[in-house]
Amino acid sequence: MKHIVITAGGTSEAIDGVRRIGNTSTGSLAACIYEALSEHLAAHKSGAFTVHYVVSETAARPEIKENLPVTFYPVTDVKSVEAVLEQLLTGYKADYVIHAMAVSDFTKGYLAGREALAEELSETLEEALSRDRGGMSGEKLRALVRGVLERPACRLDGPSKVRSAEDLMLSLVRTPKLIEKIKQWSPGSFLVGFKLLKGVDEEALVRVAAGLSEKSGCDLVLANDMDRIGADRHEGLLLKGRRVVGSYGTKKEIAAGIAGHMLGGSDAGGETGGGQ
Amino acid sequence: MKHIVITAGGTSEAIDGVRRIGNTSTGSLAACIYEALSEHLAAHKSGAFTVHYVVSETAARPEIKENLPVTFYPVTDVKSVEAVLEQLLTGYKADYVIHAMAVSDFTKGYLAGREALAEELSETLEEALSRDRGGMSGEKLRALVRGVLERPACRLDGPSKVRSAEDLMLSLVRTPKLIEKIKQWSPGSFLVGFKLLKGVDEEALVRVAAGLSEKSGCDLVLANDMDRIGADRHEGLLLKGRRVVGSYGTKKEIAAGIAGHMLGGSDAGGETGGGQ
């Protein structure tokens, strides 16, 4: 039995009890890839496979095919994805990982009223100035400002709904890059990564995607650009290291290309397309 | 022909090309209300009605009933809801407005790197201190800090995807309260408002909902609490001014209660329930 882990949809991070910050990922490309894998396996009869499908609450789910059983793992935020992936990748021998999920790059650091934050900054500096009559060094000033902005005392805590009576400042801190942990958890897995940019030319897209490939140890990277994704169109380049091995125009073509290059066989497609 | 405007789902505000801030509203209560209105009209044969359904992209849509035709108006952010509502309420004589949509209280003011913001604050203050050798007044210090936090020069602009290489500060500014504009646009409309809180007792819930009723001129307000909403349960109190006129335990009951109290008739329900 071979194990395929697929991550799908977009995570979202809680800001308070009712508000969340998330992205516009729908999970439909991952669902297409599942279907393409099933079709590929049906055509090539390559033994028994099972899919572990890690999926955000709002994402589209694929229609389940008889030849490719699926277990769903519902997730919400980055922390929940990390927990499920660590468990799956250290618990099973995952032969393939298709990490199509748009994982939030940022999570909430703190939320504070903008006026309250201005007041705390001012008070902190005033106090320091009144102590240092001789004048405060630039270095000390910077350290004070940085300290307050990193973790102000006036931050609002708790899971309730924040009142909407004043303007706010939301600090956003970086989340761990889960894709960089996948090969650490499971060095033997074949890893397919995804890079989505917006409004860049093809050269830049390939360069950034090749960077992801190198940094995270991806065996394949699908590179795409928001501006070249529409209702009926989804352009994408498939990279093996720095080399473009496929160029596609729809989700279905991308999915078939990934299935072919990942599982082998002759229907990888796209090799004679443009943009290579 | 009588016109009913229903708003449904939750708005979301763009942070950059791929990230949005939104809320967890699904639009299912509004869909239930549409269905209850159709049932109420079928039972009471009260003439011809048509529904203008203002709905966010991700919200559930109701099944359309033959006796209550619907036109959908898809919206995304607060600005788009405001534009559609203004057009509808000044263009038609809207007899009823059911404003069930969870409209974002905040939209993006600016996005900036936290380090860049700390640097700009420090530089601004250092410069001012070097000019005012005699010492800076607390008032001047506050004005400088407030000015930078309100609109820093280092803010990131443009619709592209923000790089995830550094921690960020997102300023959130209040959006106009659309519910307060509804009676300004259309003083003759019967207005149903909604107040959703989290983790408050019934007394506080009624007090806040009555406040909304007074401030926005609502004819009915449905008050509910996130902590008393689950998969099969949705508790709600219906208020006319400060008076609780209905108490319900499910979406279906809430919807029937609103339809009954709004359109008249004997099936308003809930009047003998608990919590009054």
Side-chain angles (χ1 to χ4, degrees):
Chain A
M1 173 71 75
K2 293 200 180 248
H3 293 271
I4 302 175
V5 173
I6 298 178
T7 68
T11 58
S12 70
E13 304 293 308
I15 293 171
D16 65 11
V18 299
R19 299 183 186 94
R20 303 187 73 84
I21 184 165
N23 59 60
T24 50
S25 176
T26 60
S28 55
L29 181 57
C32 270
I33 293 171
Y34 165 80
E35 280 153 23
L37 291 171
S38 160
E39 276 172 33
H40 188 95
L41 292 172
H44 294 77
K45 305 190 178 59
S46 342
F49 283 77
T50 187
V51 167
H52 305 271
Y53 205 97
V54 181
V55 59
S56 61
E57 276 177 328
T58 53
R61 292 186 178 199
E63 206 187 301
I64 298 182
K65 308 291 183 181
E66 217 176 299
N67 72 335
L68 191 53
V70 177
T71 311
F72 287 105
Y73 301 80
V75 291
T76 52
D77 56 7
V78 177
K79 212 171 252 183
S80 67
V81 180
E82 183 170 13
V84 167
L85 277 184
E86 179 165 17
Q87 202 184 349
L88 278 174
L89 295 182
T90 56
Y92 291 88
K93 188 189 138 313
D95 299 277
Y96 301 95
V97 180
I98 301 171
H99 188 41
M101 178 174 261
V103 177
S104 310
D105 294 314
F106 297 98
T107 189
K108 172 185 155 184
Y110 64 83
L111 194 59
R114 198 186 58 217
E115 276 300 311
L117 190 61
E119 186 57 30
E120 183 172 336
L121 277 164
S122 305
E123 261 180 29
T124 306
L125 293 167
E126 222 181 341
E127 226 183 85
L129 282 169
S130 74
R131 276 197 312 268
D132 288 313
R133 300 306 309 179
M136 187 162 37
S137 73
E139 206 175 321
K140 186 163 179 204
L141 183 68
R142 270 165 184 71
L144 284 173
V145 169
R146 213 175 264 139
V148 172
L149 278 193
E150 262 177 40
R151 195 174 163 74
C154 67
R155 65 191 183 276
L156 305 164
D157 269 325
S160 62
K161 183 179 173 183
V162 167
R163 286 175 58 236
S164 51
E166 52 169 356
D167 293 346
L168 299 171
M169 296 290 296
L170 173 64
S171 98
L172 295 167
V173 296
R174 285 161 291 176
T175 54
K177 297 264 178 215
L178 297 189
I179 193 159
E180 295 177 8
K181 299 194 172 190
I182 290 174
K183 287 264 171 148
Q184 294 168 23
W185 286 323
S186 176
S189 295
F190 185 100
L191 175 59
V192 184
F194 292 75
K195 192 78 209 179
L196 177 64
L197 295 176
K198 184 172 161 63
V200 301
D201 63 24
E202 195 174 305
E203 198 193 316
L205 185 61
V206 168
R207 191 177 60 241
V208 174
L212 172 72
S213 178
E214 196 182 332
K215 200 162 183 192
S216 308
C218 294
D219 298 279
L220 292 171
V221 170
L222 191 280
N224 47 176
D225 188 302
M226 292 272 298
D227 291 350
R228 293 193 286 277
I229 300 174
D232 304 315
R233 182 109 191 119
H234 189 139
E235 294 184 24
L237 298 173
L238 192 62
L239 273 79
K240 211 176 253 180
R242 320 188 139 271
R243 196 160 52 88
V244 176
V245 296
S247 170
Y248 313 103
T250 65
K251 283 188 176 47
K252 229 177 135 71
E253 284 174 27
I254 290 173
I258 290 174
H261 278 283
M262 187 178 111
L263 299 176
S266 56
D267 60 349
E271 280 74 3
T272 56
Q276 292 174 61
Chain B
M1 173 72 74
K2 292 199 181 250
H3 294 272
I4 303 175
V5 173
I6 299 178
T7 67
T11 57
S12 70
E13 304 294 309
I15 294 171
D16 66 10
V18 299
R19 299 181 185 95
R20 303 187 75 82
I21 183 165
N23 58 62
T24 50
S25 176
T26 60
S28 54
L29 180 57
C32 270
I33 293 170
Y34 166 81
E35 281 154 22
L37 291 172
S38 159
E39 277 172 32
H40 187 94
L41 292 172
H44 294 75
K45 302 191 178 56
S46 343
F49 283 77
T50 186
V51 168
H52 305 271
Y53 206 97
V54 181
V55 59
S56 62
E57 275 178 328
T58 54
R61 294 187 179 199
E63 206 186 300
I64 298 180
K65 308 290 183 184
E66 216 175 298
N67 72 335
L68 191 52
V70 178
T71 311
F72 288 105
Y73 301 80
V75 292
T76 52
D77 56 8
V78 177
K79 212 171 254 183
S80 67
V81 180
E82 185 171 13
V84 168
L85 277 184
E86 178 165 18
Q87 203 183 348
L88 279 174
L89 295 180
T90 56
Y92 292 90
K93 189 187 136 317
D95 299 278
Y96 301 96
V97 179
I98 302 171
H99 187 42
M101 178 174 261
V103 178
S104 309
D105 295 312
F106 297 98
T107 188
K108 173 185 156 185
Y110 64 83
L111 194 58
R114 197 184 62 217
E115 276 300 312
L117 189 61
E119 186 58 30
E120 183 172 336
L121 277 164
S122 307
E123 260 179 32
T124 305
L125 294 166
E126 223 181 342
E127 226 181 87
L129 283 169
S130 75
R131 275 198 312 267
D132 289 313
R133 299 308 307 181
M136 186 161 39
S137 73
E139 206 176 321
K140 181 159 183 209
L141 182 68
R142 270 166 183 71
L144 283 173
V145 168
R146 213 176 263 139
V148 172
L149 279 193
E150 264 177 40
R151 195 173 162 75
C154 66
R155 64 191 184 277
L156 304 164
D157 271 325
S160 61
K161 182 179 174 185
V162 166
R163 287 176 56 235
S164 52
E166 52 169 356
D167 293 346
L168 299 172
M169 295 291 294
L170 172 64
S171 97
L172 295 168
V173 295
R174 284 161 292 175
T175 54
K177 298 266 179 212
L178 297 190
I179 192 160
E180 295 176 8
K181 301 195 171 191
I182 289 174
K183 287 263 172 151
Q184 294 169 22
W185 286 322
S186 177
S189 296
F190 185 101
L191 175 58
V192 185
F194 293 76
K195 192 77 209 181
L196 177 64
L197 295 176
K198 185 173 159 66
V200 301
D201 61 25
E202 195 173 303
E203 198 194 315
L205 186 59
V206 168
R207 190 177 60 242
V208 173
L212 173 71
S213 179
E214 197 183 330
K215 200 163 183 193
S216 308
C218 294
D219 298 278
L220 292 171
V221 171
L222 192 278
N224 49 177
D225 187 304
M226 292 271 299
D227 290 351
R228 293 194 285 277
I229 300 174
D232 303 317
R233 183 110 190 119
H234 189 140
E235 295 184 23
L237 298 173
L238 192 61
L239 274 79
K240 212 176 253 178
R242 315 188 143 274
R243 195 161 54 87
V244 176
V245 296
S247 171
Y248 314 101
T250 65
K251 283 188 176 50
K252 227 175 138 72
E253 285 174 27
I254 290 172
I258 289 173
H261 278 282
M262 187 177 112
L263 298 177
S266 57
D267 61 347
E271 278 75 4
T272 57
Q276 291 173 61

